[in-house]
Amino acid sequence: MTDENQEPHPMSRRFRGFLPVVVDVETAGFNPERDALLEVAAVLLTMDEDGYLHPSETYTHHIDPFEGANLEQSALDFTGIDPWDPEREAVPEREGLSEIFRPIRKAVKEFDCKRAVLVGHNATFDHNFLFAAAMRADIKRNPFHPFSTFDTATLAGLAYGHTVLAQACKLAGIPFSNREAHSAAYDAERTAELFCGIVNRWKDLGGFPPAPVNLEE
């Protein structure tokens, strides 16, 4: 956090005062109001002295299905998650989200940002499930912007011509294991690498900071 004699952290200037935080969720369906949230992971990002982004800490929790939650068998078959496996060490939504939100709020403050913005691959899906769970759990201090997101599916389509996470990572030179995929932590970490790579490549190409525009010409 800066004082009156220090410049704000460069991260705060890169995204209009937002701190990008990469999130991935695993769920028991597609309906955030009805279907269970089963895993959530968040990857914090940092910026080096040259202005390049890098993935930092990962925070993750297995989540117990909320009372009355729907569990679509097809979704469980796809992710391979057994919601009732005791080795998951799952916790209620309120506990899991509160523990993940805490370091995010700390990072927002440390980087002199106003709020976190969710970065996700097909980000609307993750955003909707995260916010539905936070509302069910009556969490008042949600650090994320209520509607803005950064979508790496869109960014990867622009940068690499592919919107599927595994293929976009391959084109970006990021190792991707289909065996480990569909774990919230693994997918979030690969998404974080992809996002940082695209942002840093844009910087190397001279796209940021943008060239000054002379409006008088």
Side-chain angles (χ1 to χ4, degrees):
M1 187 68 177
T2 60
D3 59 33
E4 294 180 354
N5 298 318
Q6 292 179 315
E7 288 291 322
H9 194 283
M11 181 75 91
S12 69
R13 298 195 296 269
R14 179 60 182 87
F15 302 101
R16 198 173 66 83
F18 290 146
L19 176 68
V21 177
V22 182
V23 171
D24 187 81
V25 301
E26 299 298 333
T27 71
F30 296 102
N31 187 324
E33 306 296 334
R34 183 191 68 181
D35 300 331
L37 172 66
L38 299 176
E39 291 182 19
V40 58
V43 180
L44 296 180
L45 306 181
T46 189
M47 179 179 280
D48 65 26
E49 61 184 11
D50 295 316
Y52 291 96
L53 292 185
H54 304 278
S56 184
E57 295 90 353
T58 300
Y59 298 90
T60 186
H61 265 298
H62 297 273
I63 305 296
D64 280 325
F66 64 90
E67 185 175 356
N70 181 61
L71 300 167
E72 292 290 339
Q73 189 59 48
S74 59
L76 301 180
D77 292 341
F78 180 74
T79 63
I81 296 173
D82 176 1
W84 313 120
D85 182 356
E87 294 186 4
R88 293 180 69 231
E89 299 182 349
V91 299
E93 287 180 332
R94 182 176 179 84
E95 179 181 341
L97 293 184
S98 294
E99 291 187 8
I100 286 175
F101 286 172
R102 192 174 299 116
I104 295 173
R105 289 196 299 268
K106 181 180 178 183
V108 168
K109 184 177 181 181
E110 288 178 347
F111 284 115
D112 303 310
C113 292
K114 299 177 294 184
R115 202 156 198 172
V117 61
L118 186 148
V119 180
H121 204 77
N122 299 308
T124 300
F125 180 86
D126 303 279
H127 188 275
N128 288 346
F129 267 91
L130 191 71
F131 269 72
M135 290 186 67
R136 278 193 301 268
D138 195 29
I139 295 176
K140 304 298 185 185
R141 299 180 65 198
N142 186 335
F144 287 99
H145 193 282
F147 54 84
S148 291
T149 61
F150 293 151
D151 181 17
T152 53
T154 301
L155 294 172
L158 171 67
Y160 299 111
H162 216 299
T163 60
V164 175
L165 179 59
Q167 294 302 317
C169 286
K170 180 179 179 180
L171 291 168
I174 299 168
F176 192 95
S177 169
N178 289 319
R179 182 178 59 83
E180 296 182 70
H182 309 306
S183 152
Y186 184 84
D187 287 358
E189 288 171 351
R190 299 294 80 73
T191 301
E193 291 183 68
L194 182 64
F195 177 74
C196 290
I198 293 171
V199 172
N200 293 340
R201 185 181 181 189
W202 181 249
K203 176 179 171 63
D204 284 339
L205 291 172
F208 191 88
V213 176
N214 187 349
L215 298 177
E216 295 181 356
E217 290 183 354

